[in-house]
Amino acid sequence: MTQALPHLDGLGDIPADYEHVQKNIRPGDELAVPGALFKWYDVYLDGSDVPKDVREEAREYLRDEAAAGRLGLRGELGFILNHRAGDKYFVLVGVWRNNNEFWQTLYFKDDAGFQPYPVPDGAPRPTQEVVELDATSHERRAWSRYLTSARDEAAKRAYLEDRCTGILV
């Protein structure tokens, strides 16, 4: 580097009381909707599993969105992270598109149910928190293996069977 770094005060500051914690990831049944087939994952803290009724509500919401054409799916494979963060729930829907691109949509649950995460025009788009990126790293490697395979039926099944499990950090 030839330039000196600027002063870093006020950049990347994390509150002193923040504690980074690992989370669990558990694969669930695939979700087949018009235009896509998804791997399913629940992400949660120890002792704070995603309740079955919330999981089913999320799955039904996504089925309805896909059936209505609001997901814009076009014959794709991907994965879904159903993430419990305290008393909040986020659903990240990702597809592999244009051969090697990862496209994602974010939803959240409030008292009215699941809905798209609102983003003001021109603002940065929410993507993933650190533990979600850990799961996405697994999926990226699995997709890369698919891309370097014969990309036939057996390779598609191998991708779908390659699941992230255990602890996310």
Side-chain angles (χ1 to χ4, degrees), residues 21-88:
V21 295
Q22 60 188 23
K23 293 191 177 181
N24 300 302
I25 186 166
R26 183 186 57 240
D29 294 336
E30 289 89 2
L31 180 66
V33 297
L37 179 60
F38 294 100
K39 298 181 192 182
W40 186 277
Y41 295 105
D42 287 334
V43 177
Y44 56 93
L45 282 171
D46 271 342
S48 297
D49 200 349
V50 176
K52 182 179 179 182
D53 63 321
V54 173
R55 180 181 315 111
E56 290 307 314
E57 180 183 355
R59 292 173 72 91
E60 189 61 32
Y61 174 78
L62 294 173
R63 282 185 199 102
D64 291 347
E65 290 292 287
R70 289 187 289 269
L71 291 180
L73 301 168
R74 46 190 200 206
E76 297 159 316
L77 294 173
F79 65 96
I80 294 169
L81 300 176
N82 183 28
H83 186 174
R84 181 176 184 174
D87 61 349
K88 298 178 182 171

Side-chain angles (χ1 to χ4, degrees), residues 117-139:
Y117 195 91
V119 180
D121 287 341
R125 304 258 177 230
T127 56
Q128 298 185 7
E129 71 167 53
V130 170
V131 298
E132 294 162 347
L133 286 168
D134 200 11
T136 298
S137 291
H138 172 94
E139 287 297 317

Side-chain angles (χ1 to χ4, degrees), residues 5-22:
L5 289 175
H7 201 275
L8 299 177
D9 281 349
L11 301 175
D13 292 346
I14 306 294
D17 63 346
Y18 173 79
E19 181 182 346
H20 185 68
V21 295
Q22 60 188 23

Side-chain angles (χ1 to χ4, degrees), residues 66-159:
R70 289 187 289 269
L71 291 180
L73 301 168
R74 46 190 200 206
E76 297 159 316
L77 294 173
F79 65 96
I80 294 169
L81 300 176
N82 183 28
H83 186 174
R84 181 176 184 174
D87 61 349
K88 298 178 182 171
Y89 297 91
F90 299 91
V91 173
L92 296 82
V93 177
V95 294
W96 297 106
R97 187 170 277 177
N98 300 331
N99 305 322
N100 62 1
E101 297 174 359
F102 178 67
W103 289 49
Q104 178 179 282
T105 304
L106 176 62
Y107 300 90
F108 75 104
K109 180 177 173 21
D110 65 8
D111 293 338
F114 282 96
Q115 58 189 293
Y117 195 91
V119 180
D121 287 341
R125 304 258 177 230
T127 56
Q128 298 185 7
E129 71 167 53
V130 170
V131 298
E132 294 162 347
L133 286 168
D134 200 11
T136 298
S137 291
H138 172 94
E139 287 297 317
R140 183 206 58 79
R141 289 186 300 275
W143 190 251
S144 289
R145 284 188 289 278
Y146 172 71
L147 291 176
T148 59
S149 74
R151 298 189 299 267
D152 57 6
E153 180 80 12
K156 290 175 186 178
R157 291 189 184 283
Y159 167 74

